[in-house]
């Protein structure tokens, strides 16, 4: 199997992370964070965590593909 | 309870579905023969099969059910992991996987045919096939019901959409598609629920704060103060804890019979390991799964414990109440998600929940299409056809397997009792299985007749025990006691654990007696690779010591022991 599963995982979580982080930044200081997440802007915070995870997966995919060379 | 999802939440859900479907689409071109479709061509690396092994079991029943138990019974629920699952997974990896993978059997029923005979395989294959269809139907029903209650979605629409998505990606990419999506779902669940645990735990003042808040919960139900936060201290008698089981029934019934029976013989999970790309990858599969599994109580049980603490300190109004005035424990996770997640993260949490429902279905469907095609269709209906034909049959089996699951889902929504009844019967059939495998793998003298009639005897033993036993306050019938109230248990769970013990013991003893009384049909040569004593010792390839299954297994067991001691 020449299909590296880390690629879709990386893409999906980078996308989710970016979406959450941007949404979090845009909605900073909104009362919904007081109501739900103890005043923490969890969208921004967790969005960055997801983005970091996604990018790490993409990095691993890239490294693996370089190591094995381009495959059809 | 009614929830409003925002635009970003729906966007996340749709993107997830798009990824799921495109994985199936990309994998389509790799599906050239039946082995690719049913066994992923035995080409998947261990970290992927390991996470899929864990994820296939991480259906909705697990996520919703374990949180419900966490609220209902407290930290004692962790016994399902730290006494039940982990030791069984280590045992599977070290002792049993060499025979499953090494025999080149394509399914668990096929192993039974190689080791014993046709009738033992037939019995296992047919009961397993029926069971998977119903489990996937129940998963689908539960998902649609939950979405209807929470979001006001249309029940029929939910069934149609979830069935279509699962059908599409398995039809295209077979087992590989299911496995890849299970890994995706694993990360969704972990990364989707971790912030929930973080926020909720912070809210109740950490572990110490939670322990304090759980005291009134325990005392309110007339148990000792620490009952909800000590996993072992209150197990001396079944009367001391809300589960209503003593330590012996728990360790033997849950830890030994039920957990080993599930993790070591259920094709749904073992199929994932069989897809691994080498023997050592197959053996590492359950071990890689065991490491996150060990920490899962924090993700699925802890939110339940926090929910009940909030419920009790908040004037019993946090969790929605059922008709009888007790909390509706099945809504624990959704309630917690809505409480702590603002829109945005709520989309991630909900998608994780949906993903777990769908992977529960997909796991059952891939196990079904394999057992149907190899063990029923190829064996009894149309042997000796071309491989392309069986690949085609696998795709067809996916279609009608999902069709039957939809039927089962509607059956479940119309007649709840039928489902309870079926699950009960499956319980009878499954409980003795581990005895058959244990004797089959470690005692060369066990014969086909012994295995088959031992299994029937164990199933009958379970049914008779169920007829004689009942839990306090239950009505005779589906809850047991239909042959008279001879054995009274403190709880249904206690009754189930003991039923499993009886089923296992009767199967074990009967198989030995009948095997000794009947002639062995398989020669030592035929049993090579299938029985422990007749299989040459595994050369553990050229791996460093810290990658050897035995080393990892011991480390996993030590870590599990530590967890038991920390939360003693």
């Amino acid at each position: 199997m020449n299909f590296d599963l880390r690629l879709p995982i990386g893409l999906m979580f980078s996308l989710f992370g970016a979406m959450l982080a941007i949404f979090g930044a845009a909605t900073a200081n909104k009362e919904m964070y007081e109501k739900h997440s103890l005043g923490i802007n969890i969208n921004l915070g967790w969005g960055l965590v997801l983005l970091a995870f996604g990018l790490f997966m993409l990095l691993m995919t890239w490294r693996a593909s370089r190591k094995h060379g381009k495959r059809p | 309870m009614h929830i409003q999802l925002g635009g970003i939440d729906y966007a996340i859900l749709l993107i997830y579905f798009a990824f799921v479907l495109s994985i199936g689409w990309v994998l389509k071109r790799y599906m050239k023969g039946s082995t690719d479709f049913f066994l992923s061509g035995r080409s998947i690396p261990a970290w992927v099969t390991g996470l899929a092994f864990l994820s296939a079991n991480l259906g909705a029943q697990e996520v919703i059910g374990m949180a419900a138990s966490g609220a209902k019974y407290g930290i004692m629920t962790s016994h399902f992991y730290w006494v039940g699952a982990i030791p069984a997974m280590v045992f599977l990896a070290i002792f049993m996987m060499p025979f499953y993978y090494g025999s080149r059997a394509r399914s668990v029923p096929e192993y039974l045919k190689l080791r014993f005979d046709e009738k033992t395989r037939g019995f296992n294959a047919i009961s397993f096939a029926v069971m998977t269809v119903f489990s996937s139907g129940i998963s689908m029903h539960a998902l649609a019901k939950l979405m209807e209650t929470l979001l006001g979605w249309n029940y029929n629409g939910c069934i149609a959409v979830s069935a279509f998505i699962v059908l599409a990606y398995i039809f295209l990419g077979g087992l590989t598609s299911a496995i890849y999506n299970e890994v995706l779902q694993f990360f969704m669940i972990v990364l989707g629920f971790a912030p929930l645990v973080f926020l909720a735990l912070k809210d109740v003042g950490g572990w110490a704060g939670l322990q304090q808040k759980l005291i009134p919960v325990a005392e309110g139900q007339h148990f000792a103060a620490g009952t909800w936060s000590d996993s072992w201290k209150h197990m001396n008698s079944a009367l001391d804890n809300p589960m209503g089981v003593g330590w012996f029934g728990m360790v033997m019934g849950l830890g030994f019979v039920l957990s080993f029976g599930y993790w070591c013989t259920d094709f749904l999970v073992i199929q994932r390991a069989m897809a691994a790309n080498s023997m050592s990858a197959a053996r590492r599969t359950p071990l890689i799964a065991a490491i996150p599994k060990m920490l899962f109580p924090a993700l699925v049980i802890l939110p339940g414990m926090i929910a009940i603490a909030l419920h009790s300190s908040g004037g019993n109004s946090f969790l929605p109440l059922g008709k009888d005035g007790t909390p509706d424990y099945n809504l624990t996770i959704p309630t917690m998600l809505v409480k702590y997640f603002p829109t945005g993260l709520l989309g991630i949490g909900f998608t994780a929940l949906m993903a777990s429902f769908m992977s529960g279905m997909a796991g059952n469907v891939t196990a079904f299409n394999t057992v149907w095609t190899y063990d029923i269709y190829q064996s009894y209906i149309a042997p000796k056809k071309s491989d392309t034909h069986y690949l085609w049959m696998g795709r067809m089996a996916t279609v009608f397997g999902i069709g039957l699951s939809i039927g089962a889902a509607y059956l479940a929504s119309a007649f709840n009792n039928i489902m309870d009844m079926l699950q009960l019967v499956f319980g009878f059939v499954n409980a003795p299985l581990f005895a058959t495998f244990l004797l089959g793998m470690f005692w060369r003298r066990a014969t086909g007749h012994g295995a088959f009639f031992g299994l029937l005897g164990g199933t009958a033993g379970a049914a008779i025990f169920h007829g004689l036993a009942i839990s306090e306050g239950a009505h005779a019938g589906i809850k047991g006691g239909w042959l008279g109230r001879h054995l009274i248990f403190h709880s249904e769970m206690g009754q189930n654990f003991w039923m499993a013990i009886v089923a296992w013991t009767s199967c074990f003893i009967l198989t030995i007696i009948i095997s000794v009384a009947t002639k062995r049909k398989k020669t030592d040569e035929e049993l090579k690779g299938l029985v422990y004593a007749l299989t040459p010792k595994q050369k553990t390839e050229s791996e460093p010591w810290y990658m050897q299954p035995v080393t990892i297994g011991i480390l996993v067991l030590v870590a599990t022991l530590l967890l038991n001691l920390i939360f003693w």
Side-chain angles (χ1 to χ4, degrees):
Chain A
M1 196 77 50
N2 297 331
F3 174 56
D4 192 337
L5 177 56
R6 286 170 293 193
L7 179 65
I9 295 176
L11 286 175
M12 191 176 87
F13 282 102
S14 306
L15 185 58
F16 283 167
M19 281 168 71
L20 275 193
I22 294 168
F23 183 72
T27 54
N29 304 320
K30 279 275 176 68
E31 60 173 310
M32 71 177 179
Y33 298 114
E34 293 299 326
K35 189 179 160 207
H36 292 284
S37 45
L38 319 174
I40 301 168
N41 188 339
I42 195 83
N43 279 335
L44 178 59
W46 200 251
L48 292 175
V49 173
L50 293 183
L51 184 60
F53 172 75
L55 292 176
F56 174 72
M57 281 289 174
L58 288 178
L59 179 73
M60 299 290 283
T61 315
W62 179 71
R63 277 187 40 169
S65 78
R66 254 185 26 151
K67 208 157 124 197
H68 297 290
K70 277 257 179 278
R71 280 194 279 192
Chain B
M1 194 162 88
H2 197 82
I3 305 166
Q4 206 64 48
L5 290 185
I8 185 170
D9 302 321
Y10 282 107
I12 288 171
L13 192 62
L14 289 177
I15 292 172
Y16 180 77
F17 286 163
F19 268 92
V20 163
L21 289 173
S22 45
I23 285 181
W25 183 252
V26 171
L27 290 173
K28 182 172 165 253
R29 62 194 175 106
Y30 296 107
M31 299 297 121
K32 298 211 172 73
S34 72
T35 339
D36 297 325
F37 192 78
F38 297 120
L39 287 167
S40 302
R42 298 191 199 265
S43 64
I44 312 258
W47 74 271
V48 176
T49 52
L51 295 182
F53 184 95
L54 178 57
S55 207
N57 162 265
L58 196 64
Q61 282 94 333
E62 179 89 356
V63 175
I64 301 265
M66 283 296 148
S69 296
K72 215 166 158 186
Y73 309 121
I75 200 174
M76 278 179 69
T77 310
S78 64
H79 293 318
F80 281 89
Y81 292 75
W82 298 338
V83 178
I86 306 288
M89 288 158 90
V90 172
F91 185 83
L92 170 68
I94 293 179
F95 294 105
M96 293 177 76
M97 199 46 80
F99 307 112
Y100 281 133
Y101 195 86
S103 67
R104 304 310 270 181
R106 297 167 301 178
S107 69
V108 166
E110 193 166 75
Y111 172 83
L112 286 176
K113 178 195 151 67
L114 296 171
R115 172 61 186 88
F116 294 116
D117 56 10
E118 195 59 66
K119 60 180 180 300
T120 313
R121 180 249 282 267
F123 181 64
N124 184 245
I126 292 167
S127 64
F128 182 78
V130 176
M131 190 167 68
T132 48
V133 165
F134 279 99
S135 311
S136 112
I138 289 171
S139 221
M140 213 187 294
H141 166 67
L143 168 71
K145 191 83 194 295
L146 190 70
M147 295 304 145
E148 191 183 32
T149 324
L150 296 178
L151 299 165
W153 289 358
N154 180 285
Y155 180 88
N156 299 322
C158 287
I159 297 261
V161 170
S162 57
F164 169 76
I165 293 176
V166 172
L167 173 68
Y169 76 75
I170 297 178
F171 188 90
L172 292 169
L175 179 65
T176 316
S177 204
I179 286 182
Y180 280 15
N181 278 310
E182 279 156 5
V183 175
L184 207 60
Q185 178 240 342
F186 167 82
F187 287 113
M188 270 318 282
I189 289 274
V190 173
L191 295 169
F193 281 20
L196 177 69
V197 176
F198 166 75
L199 289 171
L201 204 55
K202 196 169 154 62
D203 195 23
V204 292
W207 176 247
L210 178 61
Q211 275 175 311
Q212 282 302 314
K213 287 196 167 66
L214 284 170
I215 292 173
V217 176
E219 285 177 340
Q221 296 185 36
H222 311 290
F223 290 113
T227 315
W228 256 253
S229 52
D230 301 327
S231 65
W232 284 94
K233 282 195 194 94
H234 311 281
M235 296 213 67
N236 287 331
S237 148
L239 285 171
D240 294 347
N241 61 68
M243 266 190 189
V245 285
W247 66 270
F248 184 81
M250 198 279 296
V251 171
M252 293 309 289
L254 170 67
F256 182 62
V257 179
L258 287 174
S259 297
F260 279 72
Y262 176 77
W263 292 102
C264 301
T265 73
D266 198 301
F267 183 53
L268 172 66
V269 287
I270 293 181
Q271 187 177 26
R272 272 76 198 148
M274 282 179 169
N277 58 14
S278 68
M279 170 67 93
S280 74
R283 294 183 75 192
R284 274 200 309 267
T285 297
L287 297 172
I288 289 170
I291 296 166
K293 182 85 181 169
M294 191 150 68
L295 305 173
F296 261 49
L299 221 50
V300 292
I301 300 175
L302 195 56
M305 293 166 62
I306 297 174
I308 198 69
L310 292 171
H311 185 70
S312 126
S313 60
N316 294 332
S317 63
F318 181 63
L319 290 168
L321 299 182
K323 284 186 198 101
D324 57 352
T326 56
D328 189 345
Y329 293 108
N330 284 328
L331 290 177
T332 306
I333 283 287
T335 310
M336 291 294 277
L337 288 178
V338 172
K339 157 105 176 133
Y340 289 108
F341 283 3
T343 192
L345 198 54
L346 190 59
I348 301 276
F350 246 88
T351 305
L353 200 57
M354 291 272 248
S356 81
F357 277 99
M358 294 207 311
S359 82
M361 278 169 65
N364 279 297
V365 171
T366 47
F368 169 82
N369 66 23
T370 309
V371 166
W372 164 264
T373 307
Y374 283 152
D375 291 296
I376 299 176
Y377 185 75
Q378 189 180 27
S379 305
Y380 306 120
I381 300 172
K384 299 199 179 85
K385 290 271 168 77
S386 70
D387 191 61
T388 332
H389 179 78
Y390 294 123
L391 172 62
W392 170 81
M393 192 63 219
R395 291 211 155 106
M396 288 306 113
T398 310
V399 176
F400 69 72
I402 288 185
L404 289 170
S405 307
I406 295 178
Y410 281 101
L411 200 65
S413 70
F415 310 99
N416 232 323
N417 292 333
I418 293 189
M419 283 300 155
D420 292 346
M421 185 84 167
L422 279 166
Q423 280 182 313
L424 186 66
V425 174
F426 295 144
F428 296 162
V429 178
N430 281 338
L433 256 182
F434 184 60
T436 308
F437 281 87
L438 204 57
L439 288 169
M441 286 181 176
F442 297 98
W443 190 45
R444 70 177 96 170
R445 187 66 186 79
T447 65
H449 288 314
F452 181 72
F453 292 106
L455 267 180
L456 286 188
T459 305
I464 294 168
F465 178 86
H466 184 258
L468 296 171
I470 193 155
S471 62
E472 278 166 1
H475 295 289
I478 195 145
K479 302 274 185 211
W482 36 273
L483 292 171
R485 293 169 163 266
H486 296 284
L487 299 156
I488 311 283
F489 286 88
H490 296 299
S491 70
E492 231 179 298
M493 205 179 276
Q495 183 190 352
N496 281 335
F497 291 174
W498 279 97
M499 183 185 92
I501 296 174
V502 168
W504 187 88
T505 315
S506 27
C507 176
F508 191 78
I509 293 171
L510 267 175
T511 307
I512 293 179
I513 294 175
I514 298 170
S515 292
V516 171
T518 49
K519 256 183 79 161
R520 242 180 94 182
K521 294 228 177 74
K522 303 245 176 189
T523 61
D524 277 2
E525 194 48 41
E526 284 175 298
L527 292 183
K528 212 172 150 192
L530 301 167
V531 178
Y532 190 76
L534 301 172
T535 307
K537 263 255 175 287
Q538 267 288 306
K539 279 247 167 43
T540 8
E541 287 147 48
S542 53
E543 282 160 341
W545 62 272
Y546 55 85
M547 288 287 276
Q548 307 257 345
V550 178
T551 321
I552 308 176
I554 291 171
L555 287 177
V556 166
L557 287 180
V558 170
T560 310
L561 184 67
L562 285 177
L563 284 170
N564 273 301
L565 293 176
I566 292 169
F567 294 99
W568 187 269

